[in-house]
Amino acid sequence: MNTEAYDVIIVGAGAAGMMSAIEAGKRGRKVLLVDHSKKIGEKIRISGGGRCNFTNIHTKPNKFISQNPKFVISALNQYTQNDFINLIKKHNIKFHEKKLGQLFCDESAQQIIDMLLLECEKANVVLKKEVIVDDVGKKDEGYFITTNCNQYIANSLIIATGGLSIPKIGASNFGYKMAKKFDLDIVETLPALVPLTFSEKILAKCKELAGLSVEAVVSFKKTFFEEGMLFTHRGLSGPSVLQISSYWKLGDNININLAPKLNLFQSLESKKKLEPKKDINLIISEILPKRLAQIICKENEVSGNICELSSKKIKQLSDAINSWAINPTGSEGYRTAEVTLGGVNTNELSSKTMMVKKHSGLFFIGEVVDVTGHLGGYNFQWAWSSGFVAGQYA
Ligand SMILES: Cc1cc2nc3c(=O)[nH]c(=O)nc-3n(C[C@H](O)[C@H](O)[C@H](O)COP(=O)(O)OP(=O)(O)OC[C@H]3O[C@@H](n4cnc5c(N)ncnc54)[C@H](O)[C@@H]3O)c2cc1C
């Protein structure tokens, strides 16, 4: 088997890996970028419904979850959302803000992949696909990887193999295995930005309402998100549920406010005085979609004129709408999760360089690290920022 020497080897040609390759290559480093997949940038391709929500104009450290919330500050400052927007503009990729600062390509996510591949080419990055890395280790002043094709050595090794979600498009546990091999602590990994599942009674309600979407505030303890919520055949989904899934802990309740703009108890009590003969089903149907209103009224055994309802009954009904507390039984798991919570403990890494503190020349970047963004382009921004930083120091 031949041994080829490079300055930098990067395993994983996703968002973070390509960004680090470009930056290291621009510095004149001889870079090898390897991936086990046949197609490069698959997660970028399928992201944002095929249009890639590539960053968020409101990127701030508080949009990221990590055991050390301050860890992201340095990388986000070294490479900001505006830096990535400028790169997109340089390549004449048209984009738009959808909502809440989320930027999407006007045309296709493939434009982002093509842009990154072009930048890799300009930076003389050697890209090898369908490479199976059998072994990785430390050698003299650097690192080696043994693959199905060759052995490669380099002073710097960057692990950018991402998280565990969507295994069928190339996700693997390689990065976590490498972290263990180099004796690094790993924060427990869990599927995140993922639909939640429920036991039979609630599931039956979700199935009956499948396809219905409402604006809701979904909260877990003090954390809440006000965005769309979707009933599905498997449980609950939609942005507000995906967001809370990153915080929710098994065994605990989440709380859903289906009419966040309204204090329903007060409103129904005053309706009782002003329009006593109005039908309660009709009143609730003016607040919530009809199907949902009917189910909630039935569940709470309310019907007839509002004046016939006791304050206790009105309170029960209002709570079912303003404060629906439910206990998820789990999530749909890595099959549909957008990201992996947890990962390489940030205490093991320099926040300035992304280099492992106890192994000079070894870097971990992107989703494999214990940094998880909120929904809305933040996960890609973390990939760009952490990749950029490693590319400056590898
Ligand atoms: C359906 C979906 C939609 C998403 N939409 C968005 C969005 O719109 N906006 C947003 O910000 N985030 C989104 N995300 C999250 C985002 O895609 C990831 O956070 C981001 O891609 C992480 O970048 P990364 O480079 O760390 O990992 P990845 O992009 O996953 O790249 C890892 C690379 O490593 C390779 N690899 C894995 N194992 C090995 C191995 N053993 N050997 C060699 N190579 C290996 C993989 O093939 C892959 O190319 C979405 C995720 C999913 C699943």
Side-chain angles (χ1 to χ4, degrees):
M1 189 177 274
N2 285 332
T3 298
E4 281 180 31
Y6 286 85
D7 295 322
V8 183
I9 297 170
I10 301 158
V11 186
M18 283 198 269
M19 180 55 95
S20 64
I22 293 162
E23 289 303 318
K26 283 203 298 206
R27 287 171 46 236
R29 306 282 277 158
K30 191 179 169 202
V31 179
L32 172 69
L33 175 60
V34 300
D35 201 290
H36 64 175
S37 293
K38 204 171 180 176
K39 282 174 86 183
I40 294 301
E42 276 296 86
K43 275 215 184 138
I44 301 176
R45 188 180 61 77
I46 63 164
S47 68
R51 294 231 166 118
C52 187
N53 176 196
F54 54 82
T55 191
N56 193 300
I57 53 178
H58 305 308
T59 299
K60 279 191 220 103
N62 69 2
K63 301 291 184 187
F64 297 85
I65 304 165
S66 171
Q67 274 198 353
N68 174 4
K70 292 196 173 145
F71 182 79
V72 295
I73 295 173
S74 177
L76 293 179
N77 281 339
Q78 288 182 68
Y79 192 81
T80 69
Q81 59 274 35
N82 292 327
D83 291 320
F84 194 76
I85 293 167
N86 287 338
L87 181 63
I88 294 276
K89 285 182 178 163
K90 201 176 99 185
H91 285 259
N92 287 320
I93 297 173
K94 299 279 175 282
F95 60 92
H96 60 278
E97 180 186 345
K98 200 166 173 191
K99 57 174 183 176
L100 305 169
Q102 301 167 3
L103 301 187
F104 287 77
C105 298
D106 285 357
E107 289 169 28
S108 156
Q110 187 61 43
Q111 293 174 290
I112 305 279
I113 302 171
D114 293 344
M115 172 189 84
L116 294 167
L117 287 173
L118 185 64
E119 289 285 331
C120 279
E121 209 182 298
K122 282 197 319 202
N124 298 315
V125 172
V126 177
L127 171 63
K128 290 184 192 282
K129 297 181 245 183
E130 294 180 270
V131 171
I132 308 300
V133 180
D134 296 319
D135 194 19
V136 171
K138 222 171 173 175
K139 202 175 195 179
D140 306 325
E141 290 298 285
Y143 296 85
F144 70 87
I145 64 167
T146 311
T147 75
N148 51 336
C149 331
N150 236 331
Q151 191 178 65
Y152 303 98
I153 54 168
N155 290 332
S156 296
L157 173 65
I158 302 180
I159 306 293
T161 45
L164 296 164
S165 60
I166 326 265
K168 75 170 187 230
I169 57 160
S172 81
N173 64 355
F174 182 87
Y176 310 104
K177 273 196 333 212
M178 286 307 108
K180 276 189 201 140
K181 178 168 182 138
F182 286 99
D183 200 24
L184 307 183
D185 184 48
I186 295 174
V187 175
E188 186 195 4
T189 51
L190 282 168
L193 296 181
V194 63
L196 296 175
T197 55
F198 298 89
S199 60
E200 237 161 85
K201 196 171 158 221
I202 296 164
L203 181 61
K205 181 168 168 178
C206 294
K207 281 182 178 168
E208 225 178 315
L209 293 165
L212 183 78
S213 163
V214 287
E215 277 300 304
V217 172
V218 182
S219 50
F220 176 69
K221 298 190 173 160
K222 287 186 176 153
T223 306
F224 64 90
F225 294 91
E226 182 167 3
E227 285 182 66
M229 184 185 89
L230 179 70
F231 292 90
T232 76
H233 284 286
R234 293 198 197 92
L236 293 176
S237 186
S240 55
V241 171
L242 299 183
Q243 297 276 32
I244 217 67
S245 73
S246 303
Y247 289 88
W248 168 73
K249 300 272 176 300
L250 187 66
D252 287 338
N253 282 350
I254 57 167
N255 197 285
I256 301 174
N257 185 345
L258 294 163
K261 306 268 180 288
L262 209 60
N263 179 329
L264 201 63
F265 181 69
Q266 273 178 15
S267 156
L268 292 180
E269 283 290 334
S270 64
K271 269 243 158 29
K272 197 171 159 180
K273 289 185 194 117
L274 296 171
E275 298 176 85
K277 299 280 183 215
K278 195 158 180 180
D279 184 81
I280 186 66
N281 263 283
L282 190 64
I283 295 171
I284 302 300
S285 299
E286 285 168 359
I287 297 163
L288 299 177
K290 202 169 170 197
R291 273 197 295 161
L292 179 59
Q294 280 170 351
I295 286 183
I296 292 177
C297 286
K298 198 170 153 205
E299 265 177 3
N300 290 278
E301 297 168 332
V302 293
S303 61
N305 297 340
I306 187 166
C307 64
E308 286 157 22
L309 299 182
S310 67
S311 284
K312 194 175 161 203
K313 212 54 187 167
I314 289 181
K315 178 81 173 78
Q316 181 191 323
L317 178 65
S318 309
D319 282 351
I321 294 172
N322 270 157
S323 182
W324 181 30
I326 46 173
N327 189 225
T329 50
S331 79
E332 287 187 12
Y334 289 115
R335 190 180 56 82
T336 58
E338 278 199 16
V339 283
T340 302
L341 201 64
V344 177
N345 193 324
T346 56
N347 289 337
E348 302 281 11
L349 309 174
S350 152
S351 62
K352 192 177 157 211
T353 64
M354 302 302 293
M355 191 160 77
V356 175
K357 289 175 186 166
K358 60 187 171 208
H359 297 293
S360 178
L362 178 64
F363 300 74
F364 284 80
I365 56 171
E367 201 182 310
V368 72
V369 176
D370 171 35
V371 170
T372 306
H374 286 183
L375 189 77
Y378 300 104
N379 283 297
F380 277 132
Q381 186 56 46
W382 172 245
W384 315 134
S385 296
S386 59
F388 173 90
V389 166
Q392 307 309 307
Y393 294 93

